[in-house]
Amino acid sequence: AFTQNNKIDSTVYVSIFGIIKDKDGFVNVRSEPKIGNNVIDSIFKNEVFRCIVLKRNWYYIEYWKKDVKKGYIYKSRVKDI
């Protein structure tokens, strides 16, 4: 995995492939790195995604569902593969 730190705003650029680790079998993908009414999609058990950026415990991810989609999921919900 690749990582690069940005000391100015605590952003970490990463390249990690992952799957979700959540007892419910899915996680919500959000438009912003915060909890609220900003759910744009869901990722389900065994769907692979790529983590691009880590910022304040949120991964900005890229995933594929007919086309490339992007959004945020909470770091604790990610298992590296």
Side-chain angles (χ1 to χ4, degrees), residues 23-60:
K23 62 181 171 70
D24 295 327
F26 75 97
V27 295
N28 290 324
V29 180
R30 301 179 181 278
S31 60
E32 299 177 54
K34 64 181 182 178
I35 296 197
N37 295 328
N38 57 346
V39 175
I40 56 172
D41 204 349
S42 295
I43 293 181
F44 296 90
K45 183 178 177 181
N46 298 323
E47 290 182 340
V48 177
F49 51 88
R50 186 174 76 132
C51 301
I52 302 169
V53 174
L54 174 63
K55 188 171 187 174
R56 297 183 315 268
N57 290 320
W58 289 88
Y59 277 120
Y60 184 63

Side-chain angles (χ1 to χ4, degrees), residues 60-78:
Y60 184 63
I61 65 162
E62 181 178 73
Y63 60 104
W64 301 264
K65 289 188 178 181
K66 296 184 183 178
D67 59 355
V68 176
K69 299 189 179 285
K70 295 180 181 180
Y72 292 91
I73 60 175
Y74 201 71
K75 180 182 176 183
S76 68
R77 303 293 189 250
V78 175

